[in-house]
Amino acid sequence: MSDQYQIESSFRLWYKPLCLYALHYLGSIDESEDVVQEVFCTLMQKAQTEGYVQLSKAYLYASVRNRCLDILKSAHTRDTVNSLDGTDGIAEDDKELTDRSMEEARMWTAIDSLPKKCRRILLMNKVQGMKYSEIADELGISENTVRNQISKALKTVKEGVRKAVLFLLSL
């Protein structure tokens, strides 16, 4: 298998979790996506010049973390960087952020797989904080339909996350 193919496969597998991980450091979706793309572009360049690249999960997360810290340093947020850098708790914090980003990525992948109407109702309720009656009024459907759609969506998301975890454990 070529390095380019391996990098592309890793990109598809790790893009969302790495973006969510970077988001915990940077607080900006756009910056987080840029960081992850830069890391993978650097890997592509290394593959072309050196012929070998490191693609482990730990290496990818460390690369994204280091790039985030570089951005924070260059933005003159030394207090934030100092609290993240050089502390004994960094391994625990980093592990927690890694796990949380993976969980969030699995959840959003499962939400993205929902039918359009079901996804919209779920997001109106869980993200926008709308009540069942408000959703029913806005969409011109009954509250019972809203309740059923949300129940269906939550079951599907829970099952999707469970399957993703089982898949990753089998790798």
Side-chain angles (χ1 to χ4, degrees):
M1 198 169 359
S2 74
D3 284 336
Q4 183 175 351
Y5 177 77
Q6 287 179 321
I7 293 170
E8 288 173 9
S9 296
S10 292
F11 180 82
R12 283 191 294 281
L13 178 65
W14 295 108
Y15 180 76
K16 280 185 182 181
L18 289 170
C19 285
L20 290 166
Y21 178 70
L23 184 62
H24 291 288
Y25 282 101
L26 302 175
S28 165
I29 293 171
D30 292 335
E31 279 186 305
S32 300
E33 290 176 342
D34 289 346
V35 164
V36 174
Q37 290 171 9
E38 287 174 19
V39 166
F40 278 97
C41 285
T42 301
L43 287 172
M44 282 291 226
Q45 291 170 348
K46 280 185 179 181
Q48 290 173 351
T49 60
E50 298 173 16
Y52 172 77
V53 292
Q54 175 70 275
L55 287 175
S56 71
K57 174 183 169 184
Y59 180 83
L60 293 172
Y61 274 90
S63 296
V64 168
R65 178 180 158 265
N66 291 340
R67 181 67 188 122
C68 289
L69 292 175
D70 288 346
I71 289 171
L72 291 172
K73 285 178 186 176
S74 69
H76 303 293
T77 55
R78 302 238 184 259
D79 292 338
T80 303
V81 173
N82 288 338
S83 70
L84 293 174
D85 229 0
T87 63
D88 292 336
I90 190 67
E92 290 177 20
D93 293 342
D94 208 36
K95 172 91 170 96
E96 183 180 318
L97 288 175
T98 302
D99 292 346
R100 191 171 6 162
S101 68
M102 289 294 295
E103 182 73 23
E104 290 171 1
R106 288 189 294 265
M107 180 189 70
W108 282 106
T109 299
I111 289 171
D112 288 344
S113 72
L114 292 171
K116 186 177 179 178
K117 184 177 181 180
C118 190
R119 179 177 56 240
R120 182 175 181 205
I121 290 171
L122 178 68
L123 293 177
M124 290 171 83
N125 178 251
K126 299 299 179 189
V127 175
Q128 297 174 7
M130 295 176 69
K131 297 179 182 175
Y132 290 1
S133 59
E134 295 170 329
I135 297 169
D137 289 342
E138 185 169 320
L139 299 178
I141 57 178
S142 73
E143 278 187 54
N144 197 40
T145 300
V146 171
R147 187 174 291 106
N148 289 338
Q149 289 291 310
I150 290 175
S151 175
K152 176 183 171 185
L154 292 174
K155 285 179 188 174
T156 303
V157 169
K158 185 177 181 180
E159 181 64 22
V161 169
R162 188 181 71 75
K163 284 181 181 177
V165 169
L166 291 175
F167 171 75
L168 290 174
L169 291 175
S170 71
L171 293 178

